[in-house]
């Protein structure tokens, strides 16, 4: 992936390597290009990590900067797409080997325009783009729940237990993801390092509200999945009771015959 370098103006304007860190800047680079970014990295404390070492989404405060670590659940395959960001008053620097941050920034450069540009506004739009497809994804998860419920009611339990387990795990990971994003948003909103312009604080309140809605929807889906599990267990119990009832009837019918056969089969002298 080639390094992307932009000036944050009314829109993201590409620029060359000779003015890489002229503020306000937005840079996306691979970890293999760290040497070119050493001017910024030298000013960051040693808590900054390469994307490969990131295990969760969180924000770390440092003098005059924030270190943002991202581990975003992948929709296409198991695992996470990881990248990091250094947010300063002068600009944003992303280290990204996954391609996710690079694709979002490239789309922002094509589509976004601002009346009041700034570092905070650019970061807000980036985070909102991370959540852009989450609501349709929630609708797809809800459709899967409906299909599972219909399968239970139709008495077609094939692979249902495994499918419900996979869906519950997916919802659990998603819930953790939104909790981590909320905590990150709180650090941005608290503005401990005075990084944001006055008007940008309202943006972080909007971001927190958005994440809260998604988290609440995920919790609702988790509750529905638990109810579906209870419905499945009730269906299994009913089927087992029917089987036991049938076995009881067969036993009652066959018991007299067994008794007669056993009686006449005894090896007594007069029988």
């Amino acid at each position: 992936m080639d390094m992307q370098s932009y000036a944050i103006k009314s829109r993201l304007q590409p620029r060359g390597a000779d003015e890489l860190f002229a503020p306000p800047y937005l840079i996306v680079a691979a970890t293999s290009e760290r040497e070119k970014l050493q001017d910024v990295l030298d000013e960051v404390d040693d808590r900054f990590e390469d994307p490969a070492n990131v295990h969760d989404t969180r924000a770390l405060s440092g003098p005059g900067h924030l270190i943002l670590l991202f581990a975003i659940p992948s929709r296409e395959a198991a695992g996470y797409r990881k990248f990091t960001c250094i947010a300063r008053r002068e600009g944003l620097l992303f280290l990204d080997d996954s391609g996710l941050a690079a694709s979002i920034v490239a789309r922002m450069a094509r589509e976004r325009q601002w009346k009041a540009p700034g570092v905070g506004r650019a970061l807000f739009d980036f985070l909102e783009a991370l959540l852009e497809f989450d609501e349709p994804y929630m609708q797809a998860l809800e459709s899967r729940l409906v299909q599972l419920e219909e399968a239970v009611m139709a008495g077609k339990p094939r692979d249902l237990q495994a499918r419900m387990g996979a869906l519950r795990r997916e919802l659990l990971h998603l819930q953790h993801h939104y909790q981590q994003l909320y905590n990150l948003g709180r650090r941005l909103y608290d503005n401990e390092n005075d990084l944001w312009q006055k008007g940008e604080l309202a943006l972080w309140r909007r971001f927190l509200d958005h994440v809260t809605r998604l988290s609440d929807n995920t919790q609702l889906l988790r509750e529905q999945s638990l109810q579906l599990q209870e419905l499945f267990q009730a269906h299994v119990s009913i089927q087992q009771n029917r089987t036991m009832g049938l076995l009881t009837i067969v036993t009652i019918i066959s018991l007299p015959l067994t008794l007669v056969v056993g009686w006449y089969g005894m090896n007594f002298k007069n029988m």
Side-chain angles (χ1 to χ4, degrees), residues 41 46 66 81-82 150 174 211 223 229 266:
L41 297 179
D46 56 9
L66 277 173
R81 304 181 73 176
K82 302 176 180 181
E150 290 173 348
L174 202 57
V211 174
E223 292 171 0
Q229 178 68 23
M266 291 180 181

Side-chain angles (χ1 to χ4, degrees), residues 23-222:
Y25 61 80
L26 191 158
I27 300 169
V28 185
T31 53
S32 59
E33 298 177 292
R34 286 189 64 140
E35 290 184 4
K36 301 176 184 177
L37 311 170
Q38 212 58 44
D39 289 347
V40 171
L41 297 179
D42 285 344
E43 299 179 13
V44 178
D45 60 51
D46 56 9
R47 291 177 299 169
F48 182 73
E49 300 183 34
D50 283 342
N53 300 325
V54 173
H55 300 293
D56 55 7
T57 298
R58 64 188 189 277
L60 304 172
S61 293
H65 67 268
L66 277 173
I67 301 172
L68 307 178
L69 310 176
F70 293 91
I72 309 299
S74 175
R75 306 287 162 77
E76 295 81 18
Y80 294 83
R81 304 181 73 176
K82 302 176 180 181
F83 57 92
T84 56
C85 174
I86 301 171
R88 308 163 71 210
R89 294 183 188 91
E90 296 81 5
L92 303 169
L93 169 59
F94 291 91
L95 280 185
D96 173 33
D97 291 329
S98 72
L100 178 58
S103 65
I104 290 175
V105 170
R107 193 166 76 248
M108 288 171 57
R110 291 193 304 269
E111 300 174 358
R112 297 300 300 164
Q113 294 189 41
W114 300 297
K115 292 181 179 179
V119 174
R121 179 72 207 202
L123 181 57
F124 168 78
D125 281 358
F126 178 88
L127 293 176
E128 283 292 300
L130 273 179
L131 304 175
E132 182 178 1
F133 300 107
D134 284 43
E135 276 147 6
Y137 180 60
M138 291 279 188
Q139 293 172 2
L141 291 176
E142 189 172 4
S143 296
R144 284 170 58 186
L145 271 173
V146 171
Q147 291 171 1
L148 288 171
E149 183 178 359
E150 290 173 348
V152 170
M153 299 302 294
K156 300 177 180 178
R158 182 180 178 184
D159 297 332
L160 275 178
Q161 191 74 9
R163 290 161 61 192
M164 285 190 291
L167 182 57
R168 287 200 307 274
R169 287 191 297 274
E170 196 170 346
L171 289 169
L172 180 61
H173 293 158
L174 202 57
Q175 184 72 28
H176 290 166
H177 169 59
Y178 291 135
Q179 289 171 351
Q180 293 168 11
L181 274 179
Y182 183 88
N183 293 335
L184 181 144
R186 281 298 314 182
R187 297 297 291 271
L188 296 172
Y189 180 72
D190 290 342
N191 197 25
E192 295 174 354
N193 294 328
D194 197 27
L195 297 180
W196 319 122
Q197 301 173 21
K198 184 177 179 180
E200 291 174 337
L201 292 179
L203 299 175
W204 304 126
R205 184 71 263 170
R206 284 169 54 188
F207 176 72
L208 288 170
D209 290 343
H210 191 179
V211 174
T212 298
R213 289 196 305 273
L214 291 170
S215 181
D216 290 345
N217 288 343
T218 304
Q219 181 60 32
L220 180 61
L221 290 177
R222 288 188 65 198

Side-chain angles (χ1 to χ4, degrees), residues 214-252:
L214 291 170
S215 181
D216 290 345
N217 288 343
T218 304
Q219 181 60 32
L220 180 61
L221 290 177
R222 288 188 65 198
E223 292 171 0
Q224 291 176 355
S225 71
L226 291 174
Q227 293 172 1
L228 180 59
Q229 178 68 23
E230 293 172 358
L231 178 63
F232 175 73
Q233 293 296 341
H235 177 79
V236 170
S237 297
I238 291 172
Q239 292 295 102
Q240 290 176 341
N241 290 338
R242 288 175 178 170
T243 302
M244 291 302 297
L246 180 60
L247 290 175
T248 301
I249 293 172
V250 171
T251 301
I252 292 173

